Amino acid sequence: MTTREIHLELLLSKPVLDSTGKAVGRIEEVCAEQQGEEWIVKEYLIGYAAVLERLSAWTIGLGILRLLGAQKISGDYTVPWDKLDLTDPDKPRLRCSLDALRYRVTWLEGGRLMRSLSYKTL
């Protein structure tokens, strides 16, 4: 298998298109784990809720959202590493349908952050 290095900071906030060319969202978080001396990408998070996760702003963000009376924060998609085509890193595209991705819904319940995972889009 051929490996390639990509500067992850250049991927953040890049718009992602599905296989039909429809906009899905922006890459907001990259999840990786260390294997030996290398970091291996496991998945990408695309969507509004992922922005708060990337900025580690859940505490501040939740406080503000509570004051505003928000119940549902938003959702994001979890994209496995092999389902994102980075042949052209400036124009990432999904290698699967949107329905094949996990969609995470994030909401507030009793002042606590709740999440659900679904394998179908909402």
Side-chain angles (χ1 to χ4, degrees), residues 17 19 81-87 93-97:
L17 304 176
S19 55
W81 72 270
D82 60 340
K83 302 295 184 202
L84 191 63
D85 181 359
L86 295 173
T87 305
R93 295 182 73 99
L94 292 180
R95 290 185 170 150
C96 63
S97 70

Side-chain angles (χ1 to χ4, degrees), residues 6 18 23-25 32 35-36 39 46 58 71 91 100-101 104 107 110 116 118 120:
I6 296 176
D18 68 8
V24 175
Q35 292 182 0
W39 285 87
I46 299 172
W58 280 117
Q71 294 302 312
K91 298 178 183 174
L101 299 178
R104 300 186 316 172
W107 72 95
S116 72
S118 171
K120 296 204 175 210

